[in-house]
Amino acid sequence: MAAAPVWSVDPRTGKQREQVAVEATAQEVDAAVRAAHEARGALADRTVRAAFLRTAADELQAAKDGLVETADAETALGPVRLTGELARTCYQLRAFADIVDEGAFLDVVINHPDDTATPPIPDLRRYKVALGVVAVYSASNFPFAFSVAGGDTASALAAGCPVVVKSHPDHPALSEYVAKVLRRAAARHDIPEGVVGLVHGFEAGVELIKHPLVAAAGFTGSVRGGRALFDAAAARPVPIPFHGELGSLNPVVVTEAAAAERAEAIGAGLAGSMTLGVGQFCVKPGLVLAPAGAAGDALLKSLTDAVSDTDAGVLLDHRMRDNFVAGVAERAGLPDVDSPVTPGAGGEHTVSAGFLTVPASRLAAEGEHDLLLEECFGPVTVVARYEDEAEVKSVLSRLPGNLTATVQLSEEEAAGQGRGAEILAELTPLAGRVLVNGWPTGVAVAPAQHHGGPYPATTSTSTSVGGTAIERWMRPVAYQNAPEALLPAELRDENPLGLPRRFNGRLER
């Protein structure tokens, strides 16, 4: 039976543009994984790895015009957004190159023998090593930053792990283009092209997670798809780490004092955040707890005005559009749910932004309104109007894990007066990033960033953004009483590589 063709599709029209490839067979997935496995040795030298990452960034930047044009044709995200996302992707690659050069990510710890300790301490030397081939599952909504050359790939390569990427069906032509650029960069450093493999197709993704030479996986996508792969990773004869980002509601709490102080600004800011990128961000605020009464009314008026002025937009594909239209209609049909600005179909190929309101009491106990506590991908949010602090606590207690949680405080509350600290304490167990007087859209690529959260936001405690994302693809190993001549250079007393380390309890830089 012939493999199914892979088409590039224009989301603005729903029409096929060109055949890009064919779906990979099990044999082709096997070949890609084995080629990646054979390329491991070429990544062993940290100097080579860092140079490769920088060259990859340079090559991507040099191909900017063609890459952005191809990405826009397949995603309709627009040249401005895509140019910025490509710049972010190049920055990530260079940032991981700097991390590789520094070497602190190896976590070198050396303890010399101490017979006076209880129990006695032998000679112990510990550092981290690469896991092996990493399977990367591309996201739909970030065709550069969470795709073939995105953060999972960049951090895995930085750790010394080759990758095999399962492309997202929404941008197969771009995936092929980016993979070609990365392989060209690899060749400039005598690294085999198999260091970055690429496969297409649903079945290929299933075969990939099951392959015995795949040592770990990174995923960004839906709860349903991510959970299926997570379960498959755990069910293997040899289970592997699965770092999945699955879904997030990203709750926002607006205190009554904050609404009274700056209702207009909060409403406008919320509108901008929930409609940014046509609501296709994993950190879009999907549930807002706002006060009932005059202050909350003023906030809703501002939100109504701002959302009403938002143009209809194109989602990444027509399947997402259909799911959005059906999802908001189902939510709007629930008892006591109102639509001050009705979200839904904006045209044959577009969607219109909007928001729903509901009494918070409807969410405080289990029932049919639980649908409002599930992520709806697209430009919509739910505003739950609360009567008192008890209702806020009740709703928060029912929320699943999230990538972010936000609180909007008044000036006095932010200064330590009132319930500001208490609300932060209530939000902290719910999310990996807690914001005060800001909006969650816009994830800075910085050393202190954490992009993750309790399940179902992610399936692990790790981050997929920032320098510590490299830790996902490594494991510690300790050598006991190994002769100096047999030790890796990273663990020798004289520190020939000049690595930061902890030596007999003392931090050396």
Side-chain angles (χ1 to χ4, degrees):
M1 182 177 178
V6 175
W7 291 89
S8 175
V9 177
D10 185 344
R12 296 178 177 92
T13 64
K15 294 181 179 179
Q16 294 176 341
R17 296 176 60 250
E18 59 180 324
Q19 182 177 334
V20 174
V22 295
E23 294 186 357
T25 64
Q27 293 76 18
E28 288 167 334
V29 172
D30 178 66
V33 174
R34 292 187 182 280
H37 185 72
E38 291 298 318
R40 290 173 304 150
L43 293 178
D45 189 315
R46 285 190 302 120
T47 302
V48 172
R49 292 209 302 272
F52 168 36
L53 291 168
R54 292 191 178 97
T55 299
D58 293 343
E59 293 279 357
L60 287 168
Q61 195 63 44
K64 178 185 69 173
D65 292 345
L67 289 170
V68 168
E69 181 181 0
T70 302
D72 186 44
E74 290 189 314
T75 67
L77 289 174
V80 174
R81 148 74 192 274
L82 290 166
T83 299
E85 188 185 329
L86 178 59
R88 166 185 169 163
T89 302
C90 294
Y91 173 81
Q92 284 183 148
L93 289 162
R94 295 187 178 107
F96 278 114
D98 291 342
I99 289 170
V100 173
D101 279 340
E102 181 191 59
F105 73 101
L106 294 170
D107 286 344
V108 176
V109 182
I110 295 176
N111 286 127
H112 283 164
D114 183 357
D115 293 336
T116 67
T118 305
I121 297 174
D123 187 278
L124 286 169
R125 294 153 192 262
R126 178 187 187 273
Y127 77 148
K128 290 182 177 177
V129 297
L131 287 177
V133 178
V134 171
V136 172
Y137 292 81
S138 295
S140 61
N141 56 342
F142 280 87
F144 289 121
F146 282 83
S147 187
V148 177
D152 285 351
T153 294
S155 57
L157 293 172
C161 298
V163 300
V164 177
V165 181
K166 190 274 180 187
S167 75
H168 195 280
D170 280 350
H171 40 82
L174 178 66
S175 297
E176 288 285 345
Y177 196 160
V178 172
K180 181 180 178 180
V181 172
L182 294 184
R183 290 165 181 159
R184 185 166 64 236
R188 288 182 55 180
H189 298 281
D190 296 323
I191 298 173
E193 291 186 352
V195 73
V196 178
L198 179 67
V199 297
H200 301 271
F202 175 82
E203 291 299 332
V206 176
E207 291 294 331
L208 184 58
I209 199 69
K210 296 191 300 184
H211 198 288
L213 292 180
V214 168
F219 171 90
T220 303
S222 68
V223 173
R224 181 181 178 185
R227 183 55 196 252
L229 290 171
F230 183 31
D231 291 346
R236 291 168 36 128
V238 178
I240 59 172
F242 182 87
H243 301 283
E245 179 189 322
L246 310 188
S248 185
L249 197 60
N250 305 302
V252 177
V253 176
V254 181
T255 68
E256 187 169 4
E261 184 176 274
R262 48 193 175 86
E264 184 176 352
I266 292 173
L270 172 59
S273 185
M274 58 158 284
T275 63
L276 185 66
V278 202
Q280 298 176 112
F281 286 91
C282 52
V283 290
K284 179 202 74 177
L287 175 69
V288 181
L289 285 157
D297 290 343
L299 189 160
L300 254 62
K301 181 182 184 306
S302 174
L303 178 61
T304 298
D305 293 343
V307 174
S308 298
D309 288 340
T310 303
D311 294 333
V314 178
L315 294 184
L316 291 160
D317 62 40
H318 276 57
R319 176 185 57 82
M320 292 181 186
R321 179 186 177 278
D322 292 343
N323 288 342
F324 174 76
V325 172
V328 296
E330 185 178 5
R331 288 163 171 80
L334 293 170
D336 290 336
V337 172
D338 293 323
S339 303
V341 181
T342 303
E348 186 179 359
H349 304 292
T350 61
V351 296
S352 293
F355 69 96
L356 310 175
T357 62
V358 66
S361 58
R362 282 289 196 174
L363 304 178
E366 184 176 351
E368 60 184 333
H369 288 75
D370 284 0
L371 180 62
L372 300 176
L373 302 181
E374 297 178 12
E375 180 184 17
C376 187
F377 194 73
V380 64
T381 196
V382 174
V383 180
R385 305 289 301 273
Y386 64 85
E387 297 290 343
D388 52 36
E389 295 174 4
E391 285 190 350
V392 174
K393 290 184 177 181
S394 294
V395 175
L396 291 179
S397 71
R398 302 196 62 240
L399 296 187
N402 293 271
L403 294 170
T404 71
T406 300
V407 60
Q408 297 289 336
L409 301 174
S410 69
E411 186 173 344
E412 286 190 356
E413 290 170 328
Q417 303 176 41
R419 290 190 63 243
E422 184 180 341
I423 296 174
L424 247 64
E426 292 170 355
L427 294 179
T428 297
L430 295 178
R433 179 163 56 106
V434 180
L435 298 90
V436 177
N437 290 351
W439 298 104
T441 42
V443 183
V445 182
Q449 184 60 273
H450 185 81
H451 188 63
Y455 185 87
T458 52
T459 61
S460 71
T461 58
S462 302
T463 179
S464 60
V465 179
T468 54
I470 195 173
E471 296 172 359
R472 297 174 295 168
W473 320 121
M474 308 190 77
R475 67 175 181 87
V477 59
Y479 292 89
Q480 182 169 327
N481 295 334
E484 181 90 2
L486 303 183
L487 286 169
E490 292 86 349
L491 297 180
R492 295 181 181 177
D493 281 351
E494 66 270 23
N495 198 8
L497 303 180
L499 294 170
R501 62 185 187 173
R502 187 167 291 278
F503 190 83
N504 288 330
R506 187 179 70 256
L507 186 64
E508 295 183 344
R509 297 189 181 279

